[in-house]
Every structure is written in structure tokens, then in C-alpha cells.
Amino acid sequence: METRGVGTGGHEPVACDVLVIGSGAGGAVVADRLTAAGRDVVLVEEGPDVPADLALSPAEAMRRQWRCGGLMTAFGAPLLAYAEGRCVGGGTEINAAILQPIPAALLDAWSRRYAIAEYGADALAPYFREAEALLGASPPERPQGSVTTRFAAAAAALGWDHQSLTQAKDGCLGGATCAEGCPPGRRSMASAVLPRARARGLRVIADCRVVRLERRGARVVRVLARRRDGAGPARPMTFRPEHVFLCAGAIHTPALLRRSGLGRNVGASLRAHPVVRAAALFPEPLTVRHSATPLSAVTEFMPDLRLGGSILLPGYLGMMLAEDWQRRGWLWAHRERVGLYYAMARAEGRGQVIPIPGLVEPLVRYRATDDDWELLRRGLLALSELLFAAGAERVVPSLFGHAGWTSPGAARAELAAPLRRSRAGLATLHLFSSCPPGEEAALTATDSFGRLRGLSNLTVADASQLPEAPGVNPQLGVMAHAARAADAFLAASDAQARRRAARDDA
């Protein structure tokens, strides 16, 4: 017996036209696109369905919306801290809602390098425009506060190109709560995209972890999952879809494929935007509690480097200081005068995603290249110059055992030499490229439109499809790739239906 209801975690298989695994920027866009075309779609999400208008404390947000409470690590030399969303809406519920198209030159270069059909800046431009319109991309709605204005003024004084970043917001109150659910008006997947799909009949099943895909020949025939209802134990759940869209992100898409024994070139080309951070102590208070999340970026060194402002709230400053409390802890007493900033590198380094039998989280490895370390050195040097130009009294970098610089000359002298890798504390919020697309089969996991090689009914549509690091916030790029993959699926299935009808008529 099969059912077309969402079920309650029992053993009856749930049938559907399309099963979408993951509800972030990829999965939500696919669900929206396919329900608009009349398909019967079920979307499953490993994390909870947190109401979009629910105000959360930092601790509650970390527990309910961030994977493993926000504490994830890629192993390497040094470790790379990373974070992922784990709730309905995925990472779009915890990021700063910054929307940036991928630079045209990179899209065109990827099209050639990976032999991606119907790709490149011109082909993707309509998808970027549609995503921006869907989320109401707009410049900052209110004064940004001194954390940002100091930063932007210093960039102007140095003669560096900088810009205000567009954001998916509607009614920003300037409380810098982007990482905590943002009830005032974030236009995320949960608040702006999935409601449209639900109104068309989308079935959303939260707290449901897919554990394995089962194939027969060239098709996925069953999807095995475990669903948790309330505080009770997880119970088995089975799906029988006609087609599967795998949108679980750059870590968990390849992990699920590898657990299922599927795919080639899967999970071995993970890329990231490694970030070095700095805490800047200014002479007077920065009005952090009345400032929006910084929406100004230095673009002078793009696409390889971007400088910007980080999350402002005291809890996040506390985490940065706690990494080396002996040297940094004293800044806590002056937290009203401290701003957090970063230098982000478009890195060439690669990582691996390796599922471990019996464990929920896979092993993730990452190693930056020598060129990446040189970019990070240059980025930290530029960031220190900028912060001193902004009036900072001391700049404390995310280098373990470092007491900070009190002058730009001191920073220049130390950063004339390569960074000591063992001291660097690297972090990232951006992961991608673990299942790259294209017709260059030796380099890629899927065809040009996300169809996994060897299977006729599985499409990948998430950050794992970005061929390389884009140098910008990846959300718009993920949405564009997902919409393109959904359109390709619809075109192919409609063509197949027409051929079938023609055979029947004959």
C-alpha cells in the first residue's frame, strides 16, 4: 500500500512525482518551480520547521537552526571551522541574506573549463534577475551604524573600490539578528519561497533525515529515511518518487550519495571561502546594539579577496575571543568599542566529504593551497590597513597567541612574511563544488543540468553544483543553478510525455 499523504512516520511508502531532499536555497527553489508546473512534490528536511516570525535567543537559534549547534570542523592543517543551517529554509535562515550574482567572467570561465552546456553569464543572467526579484533584493533600508560607516569611510579614504551589498529584507529594524531567525523581515526560503509552494500543494516533512537511496538499474526506486515526531524516537519512513532532487548542500549531498554507493567524482572536490577575522578596538563606542549587520564590502581586490564586516552581537564576539581567551579575553570588557571584520579568499584548496558508518555527520577534510595562504596574508594585511585607517587603536587578528597590532607599521612588518599556518584560525560559512556539473566527465559528477551520471531520475541542485569558489555570497548562484536544473527537468519530462503520447496515438 502506498499513500500520497505526508504520513506520521509509519511504514507505508509515500508516493510522489518528485521528492526534494533539503529545503535551502536549492531545494526550496526547485519545489517552487515544480509545484508551479503542477507536479506533486514532497520536500523533506532533516531539521525542524521553525516559524519564520519566532524571535529566538542566540542559544536557541544555535540549537534549533544550526547544524550541531554551529560547531563544525573540517580537518586539515589548520582546522577550518564551518557552519550550516539545519532547519526548514536551510542556510537562508541563518545568513545575512546578502545577494550577489557570481561575476560574469567566472561563469564564462567555468563554462569553458568544465564544458557546461547552455551556461555562462548570458545564459544565467535571467535566473539571477528572477531570484533577485523573488527575494526583493534591495540596498540597505536604514543607516548602518558606525561599525559599517567607519569601514566604508576608511575604504573611500584609501581610494579602494567598495560597495553597499543588496539584501533580501523587508522592514529591517537594524538589530543585527540575521543569525537568529530575524523575525522583522528576512526574505528567506521559509518566509518568501516555500509558502508559495505550500499553497500549491507542496507537502513538507520536517525532522526527517534521509539515510539511503536505493537503486534498481538506472533508477532510484526507494528513499529510506527516519522521521522524528516531537521528543519520541525516530521511526522509519519510505518514499517512492518518480524523480529525486538532491539538495542537501555541499556536505550532505555527497555524503548521502556515497552512503548509497552512487556517483563518480562525488565529494572529492569540496571548496570553500576561508576567512581570517580581526577584532578592531576603537576609541569610542560603536553603537553595536543599534547597528544593522554590516552591508558594505571592499571590492578592490575581487574576485580573489573581499573585505567586510562580520556578525556584531556580543555572543559572536565572545566566541571569537574564547578561541584564545588568554590573549583576547581582555577585549570583552571593552566590547562596546569592538567591531568584527573579515578578509575572505576565493580559494583553490580542496576538501573531501567521507561518510563514516554509524555516524550522522561525515568526516570533512580541507587543505588550503600555498596560493590560498598568500591570498589570506594579503587579505589580512589589507584588512589591518583599512581598520587603522578607520581609527582603530588595536587590531587583533584570528592568529592564536597574538596580542594584536597597535599601528599599521607593526602589521606591515609582521605580514611581510608568510602567515604561520599553525597559528591561523580559519572559518567559513560558504561551502560548494563537491558535485560539480559539466560534460568534462573526468572533472564532474553530473551532466550540465545536474543529472547524476548513471541514474536517469536523480538531479543535484544545491551549492555542490557551483564548479568552484565564486568569491561572493553563493545564495543567488545556488538559486540560479536550482531554477535552471528544475527547468531542464520539466523540459525533459514534458518532451518524454509528448513522445509517449505520440506512440500511443500511433
Side-chain angles (χ1 to χ4, degrees):
M1 175 181 177
E2 292 184 346
T3 178
R4 299 190 83 81
V6 297
T8 58
H11 293 282
E12 301 83 5
V14 175
C16 56
D17 293 341
V18 180
L19 178 68
V20 179
I21 302 171
S23 64
V29 166
V30 168
D32 183 48
R33 211 101 175 162
L34 299 190
T35 54
R39 298 302 197 270
D40 173 37
V41 182
V42 172
L43 182 150
V44 295
E45 164 59 46
E46 181 182 358
D49 192 354
V50 180
D53 60 353
L54 183 65
L56 299 174
S57 69
E60 289 173 319
M62 287 287 188
R63 179 175 60 84
R64 299 183 65 176
Q65 294 183 300
W66 296 61
R67 182 174 294 278
C68 296
L71 300 175
M72 305 292 293
T73 300
F75 291 89
L79 302 177
L80 175 70
Y82 69 91
E84 294 181 297
R86 182 182 167 275
C87 60
V88 172
T92 71
E93 308 306 312
I94 62 170
N95 64 16
I98 292 170
L99 302 177
Q100 294 175 283
I102 297 171
L106 286 180
L107 293 173
D108 291 339
W110 295 346
S111 177
R112 295 187 298 270
R113 187 172 303 140
Y114 298 92
I116 310 175
E118 300 176 38
Y119 196 79
D122 291 341
L124 285 172
Y127 290 109
F128 282 118
R129 289 194 295 267
E130 187 175 345
E132 289 173 325
L134 177 61
L135 296 182
S138 60
E141 299 171 341
R142 56 180 287 118
Q144 292 293 286
S146 57
V147 175
T148 296
T149 56
R150 279 180 170 273
F151 182 86
L158 291 170
W160 291 352
D161 288 340
H162 63 287
Q163 65 180 47
S164 292
L165 304 174
T166 59
Q167 192 178 34
K169 290 284 253 180
D170 182 16
C172 175
L173 300 181
T177 59
C178 293
E180 297 162 17
C182 189
R186 175 206 306 275
R187 292 184 60 80
S188 66
M189 298 302 108
S191 65
V193 179
L194 289 174
R196 301 179 358 150
R198 289 186 201 245
R200 304 185 196 107
L202 172 69
R203 293 174 279 166
V204 176
I205 305 177
D207 292 308
C208 184
R209 178 175 181 264
V210 174
V211 295
R212 187 172 177 84
L213 309 174
E214 291 190 348
R215 72 181 291 174
R216 182 178 301 137
R219 293 182 59 79
V220 173
V221 294
R222 288 204 311 167
V223 176
L224 307 181
R226 296 188 66 80
R227 186 184 185 192
R228 187 177 300 279
D229 291 317
R235 293 187 287 177
M237 194 168 190
T238 302
F239 300 88
R240 291 189 180 276
E242 292 299 313
H243 196 92
V244 175
F245 269 84
L246 183 47
C247 311
I251 301 297
H252 286 271
T253 282
L256 176 56
L257 290 173
R258 284 190 161 189
R259 280 202 307 271
S260 305
L262 301 174
R264 181 170 173 244
N265 295 331
V266 165
S269 56
L270 179 72
R271 300 208 186 195
H273 285 152
V275 164
V276 287
R277 295 157 293 156
L281 177 66
F282 291 97
E284 60 279 325
L286 294 175
T287 62
V288 165
R289 298 176 191 276
H290 306 289
S291 296
T293 296
L295 290 176
S296 182
V298 170
T299 55
E300 176 77 11
F301 313 105
M302 286 185 64
D304 294 329
L305 280 170
R306 195 182 80 181
L307 312 181
S310 189
I311 297 173
L312 306 173
L313 297 179
Y316 300 96
L317 172 62
M319 286 190 289
M320 190 267 192
L321 301 183
E323 291 174 1
D324 188 358
W325 188 259
Q326 183 177 1
R327 295 286 186 147
R328 304 176 195 167
W330 64 275
L331 283 169
W332 182 250
H334 307 281
R335 56 190 175 275
E336 295 295 336
R337 297 194 285 133
V338 176
L340 286 178
Y341 302 88
Y342 67 84
M344 182 182 82
R346 191 178 80 84
E348 296 178 349
R350 299 193 180 196
Q352 297 172 310
V353 180
I354 305 168
I356 306 297
L359 297 183
V360 171
E361 301 301 328
L363 171 67
V364 179
R365 294 174 174 167
Y366 181 82
R367 189 175 187 87
T369 68
D370 291 344
D371 287 343
D372 296 338
W373 282 105
E374 171 58 15
L375 271 181
L376 291 167
R377 182 198 67 81
R378 286 170 44 202
L380 188 53
L381 176 59
L383 184 61
S384 65
E385 293 276 0
L386 185 69
L387 295 176
F388 282 117
E393 295 179 336
R394 184 182 291 264
V395 174
V396 181
S398 56
L399 302 175
F400 299 116
H402 201 293
W405 301 296
T406 57
S407 71
R412 287 188 212 114
E414 182 171 347
L415 293 174
L419 286 177
R420 288 177 55 186
R421 302 181 188 188
S422 61
R423 296 180 64 188
L426 302 185
T428 189
L429 289 173
H430 303 158
L431 299 160
F432 17 70
S433 312
S434 51
C435 296
E439 305 309 317
E440 189 65 60
L443 300 176
T444 58
T446 76
D447 74 2
S448 296
F449 300 93
R451 293 178 290 245
L452 190 73
R453 288 195 175 83
L455 289 176
S456 62
N457 69 334
L458 191 148
T459 301
V460 178
D462 56 23
S464 69
Q465 284 273 283
L466 297 183
E468 296 177 5
V472 296
N473 295 67
Q475 180 173 324
L476 268 188
V478 173
M479 294 177 69
H481 276 74
R484 178 175 173 274
D487 283 355
F489 162 76
L490 290 170
S493 59
D494 288 347
Q496 185 180 41
R498 288 193 296 271
R499 289 193 297 269
R500 188 181 302 116
R503 287 196 301 271
D504 292 343
D505 291 342

